[in-house]
């Protein structure tokens, strides 16, 4: 049955393990959509009890759930792994059998005769493969990919359109590199010779260990003499820059627009949130978490969360943020205190001004030799001058 006619719930899950159906197993689904997009003829997923009301109003024909739901009328697919089962169902609608990579080499691909290509690998039109390249089994190189000389690619790797792998790049197994990424470009390293910037040595390479995912338009520069390494299981988001000589640990999460300067090193399970920047030669300990837009200027210890620029431990930075939020209020209070202080100062200065004026009047009268009037200010007596 094709997608237009729909697929029954029973057919959708018949090849999946550890699932049970509650309700009409022959209910027809024409699409698989997340809950907020679900339609009357779609199967959806619920992974939290707080979304039951949204499920009821969606009118979905079926739902994948971890526990039976008594308050809904649609067909239920109950499983211990909601996301894995729903992903398999979505693939039935999106890809059908197209998800399987069949071995083929397009006639429009340019492949050097010294290159080695494994069984089951698919090479699409416009791919360029240089001398002495080795590509493993069951890979897929999509249109416009360029693989330069002496690059090694492991098994089951997927390289999306217009990715460039510079010479000597080394890749493990089960790696995905998305469109437009450049692996192994020259690092931004220069030295001054007679007043001119001269590029430093670019003799290293990039090594990507197994099970790494690299997003679109990522750049990873080669080492100066040795390796720039991406550790096993690390996931890199779109638009990330990793400079020369960096060693990224295992199972890191590096979010979009992160910039890592040269010769940095991260431990295992490090998280760099969006737009984090690392200065050169910085080391991050295992399980360090760096919050969005933080600027890291020095080595950071393991097992801590860091925020801000310059980055500091979360507790300290939250205190800084609390003070920063109060700055407008503190400014108003300071201005009010200054006004009150000016008023008090003016009041304190007023008697002194009066006394000074009275003394000046006494001096004027005595210097003229005139007699003191009956109402003469007694305070002037102390300032009478003796006769010459």
């Amino acid at each position: 049955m094709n997608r237009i006619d729909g697929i029954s719930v029973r057919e959708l899950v018949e090849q999946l393990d550890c699932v049970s159906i509650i309700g009409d197993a022959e209910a027809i689904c024409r699409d698989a959509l997340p809950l907020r997009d679900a339609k009357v003829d779609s199967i959806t997923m619920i992974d939290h009890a707080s979304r039951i009301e949204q499920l009821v109003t969606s009118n979905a024909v079926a739902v994948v759930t971890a526990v039976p739901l008594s308050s809904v009328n649609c067909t239920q697919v109950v499983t211990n792994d909601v996301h894995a089962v729903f992903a398999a169902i979505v693939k039935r609608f999106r890809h059908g059998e197209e998800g399987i990579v069949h071995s083929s080499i397009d006639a429009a691909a340019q492949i050097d005769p010294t290159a080695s290509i494994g069984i089951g690998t698919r090479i699409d039109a416009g791919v360029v493969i240089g001398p002495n390249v080795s590509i493993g089994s069951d890979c897929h190189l999509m249109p416009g990919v360029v693989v330069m000389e002496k690059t090694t690619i492991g098994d089951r790797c997927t390289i999306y359109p217009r990715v460039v792998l510079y010479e000597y790049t080394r890749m493990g197994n089960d790696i995905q590199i998305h469109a437009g990424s450049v692996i192994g470009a020259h690092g931004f390293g220069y030295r001054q010779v007679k007043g001119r910037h001269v590029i430093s040595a670019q003799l290293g390479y990039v090594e990507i260990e197994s099970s790494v995912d690299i997003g679109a338009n990522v750049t990873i520069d080669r080492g100066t003499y040795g390796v720039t390494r991406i550790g096993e299981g690390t996931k890199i988001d779109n638009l990330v820059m990793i400079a020369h000589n960096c060693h990224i640990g295992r199972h890191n999460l590096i979010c979009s627009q992160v910039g890592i300067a040269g010769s940095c090193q991260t431990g295992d399970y490090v998280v760099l949130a969006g737009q984090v920047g690392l200065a050169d030669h910085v080391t991050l300990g295992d399980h360090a978490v760096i919050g969005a837009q933080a600027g890291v200027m020095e080595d950071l210890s393991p097992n801590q969360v860091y925020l801000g620029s310059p980055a500091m431990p979360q507790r300290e930075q939250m205190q800084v943020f609390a003070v920063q939020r109060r700055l407008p209020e503190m400014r108003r209070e300071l201005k009010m205190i200054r006004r009150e202080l000016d008023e008090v100062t003016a009041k304190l200065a007023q008697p002194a001004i009066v006394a000074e004026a009275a003394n000046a009047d006494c001096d004027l009268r005595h210097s003229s030799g005139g007699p003191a009037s009956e109402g003469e200010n007694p305070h002037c007596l102390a300032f009478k001058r003796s006769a010459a």
Side-chain angles (χ1 to χ4, degrees):
M1 188 174 291
N2 60 36
R3 180 180 173 183
I4 296 175
D5 294 333
I7 309 174
S8 70
V9 174
R10 177 183 53 77
E11 290 177 285
L12 285 173
V13 302
E14 61 187 355
Q15 295 182 355
L16 302 178
D17 296 328
C18 301
V19 299
S20 60
I21 299 175
I22 299 175
D24 184 6
E26 300 304 320
I28 298 299
C29 305
R30 291 181 172 82
D31 206 347
L33 295 168
L35 189 53
R36 68 177 182 179
D37 301 323
K39 302 175 183 177
V40 174
D41 57 355
S42 64
I43 183 170
T44 188
M45 173 193 75
I46 184 169
D47 56 4
H48 197 277
S50 63
R51 298 175 180 171
I52 292 177
E53 185 175 345
Q54 188 178 358
L55 172 64
V56 173
T57 58
S58 73
N59 294 317
V61 69
V63 61
V64 180
T65 175
V67 294
L69 304 172
S70 59
S71 56
V72 299
N73 297 322
C74 62
T75 302
Q76 301 176 41
V77 176
V78 183
T79 175
N80 291 330
D81 195 338
V82 172
H83 288 274
V85 168
F86 190 65
I89 292 171
V90 171
K91 287 179 181 178
R92 287 290 301 273
F93 288 101
R94 302 293 185 274
H95 305 298
E97 298 299 320
E98 295 175 10
I100 301 173
V101 175
H102 299 284
S103 177
S104 66
I105 298 177
D106 194 281
Q110 300 179 45
I111 303 175
D112 190 275
T114 61
S116 169
I117 299 174
I119 296 172
T121 289
R122 173 177 167 180
I123 309 295
D124 289 347
V127 172
V128 178
I129 299 175
N132 301 303
V133 168
S134 175
I135 301 174
S137 302
D138 301 312
C139 295
H140 185 185
L141 277 62
M142 298 186 186
V145 169
V146 176
V147 184
M148 297 187 186
E149 63 177 309
K150 296 184 179 178
T151 290
T152 302
I153 300 173
D155 299 332
R156 298 176 302 279
C157 294
T158 301
I159 305 178
Y160 286 84
R162 300 192 180 281
V163 168
V164 178
L165 304 177
Y166 277 64
E167 60 269 23
Y168 308 108
T169 297
R170 302 177 184 179
M171 293 173 51
N173 302 322
D174 303 297
I175 292 169
Q176 290 191 83
I177 305 178
H178 286 271
S181 290
V182 178
I183 311 299
H186 289 189
F188 193 70
Y190 295 86
R191 55 193 176 87
Q192 277 204 359
V193 178
K194 297 180 179 179
R196 303 178 71 86
H197 295 297
V198 178
I199 192 167
S200 59
Q202 303 291 336
L203 303 175
Y205 59 96
V206 173
E207 180 179 2
I208 303 172
E209 297 180 354
S210 295
S211 302
V212 169
D213 290 348
I214 296 175
N217 296 312
V218 171
T219 56
I220 304 174
D221 291 346
R222 66 177 61 199
T224 303
Y225 299 111
V227 62
T228 297
R229 178 177 291 111
I230 309 299
E232 178 186 359
T234 285
K235 312 302 180 185
I236 301 174
D237 199 358
N238 304 332
L239 299 169
V240 169
M241 166 64 198
I242 300 175
H244 59 279
N245 301 328
C246 288
H247 288 187
I248 305 301
R250 299 179 305 119
H251 306 290
N252 284 201
L253 294 176
I254 303 178
C255 299
S256 182
Q257 298 183 17
V258 165
I260 303 178
S263 302
C264 288
Q265 181 169 337
T266 68
D268 296 338
Y269 297 96
V270 168
V271 178
L272 303 180
Q275 297 185 335
V276 164
L278 270 63
D280 58 284
H281 295 84
V282 163
T283 297
L284 306 182
D286 294 345
H287 297 276
V289 177
I290 317 300
Q293 296 187 328
V296 181
M297 309 301 293
E298 59 187 8
D299 295 353
L300 298 181
S301 301
N303 302 304
Q304 288 202 57
V305 177
Y306 297 88
L307 303 174
S309 185
M312 60 181 68
Q314 182 179 24
R315 182 179 179 85
E316 296 177 30
Q317 189 59 259
M318 293 305 291
Q319 292 173 341
V320 172
F321 289 159
V323 173
Q324 287 177 340
R325 282 193 293 268
R326 289 196 62 233
L327 282 177
E329 177 187 351
M330 293 167 68
R331 181 174 179 270
R332 289 192 296 270
E333 291 176 352
L334 179 60
K335 290 175 69 175
M336 184 175 65
I337 291 170
R338 289 189 63 178
R339 282 196 302 267
E340 293 176 353
L341 180 59
D342 290 343
E343 291 173 3
V344 171
T345 302
K347 289 178 181 178
L348 291 175
Q350 216 167 13
I353 294 172
V354 171
E356 184 179 347
N359 291 337
D361 182 55
C362 290
D363 286 346
L364 180 61
R365 293 184 182 184
H366 289 298
S367 63
S368 62
S373 63
E374 292 182 3
E376 187 179 53
N377 189 335
H379 296 289
C380 295
L381 297 177
F383 296 93
K384 289 182 178 179
R385 291 182 174 85
S386 58

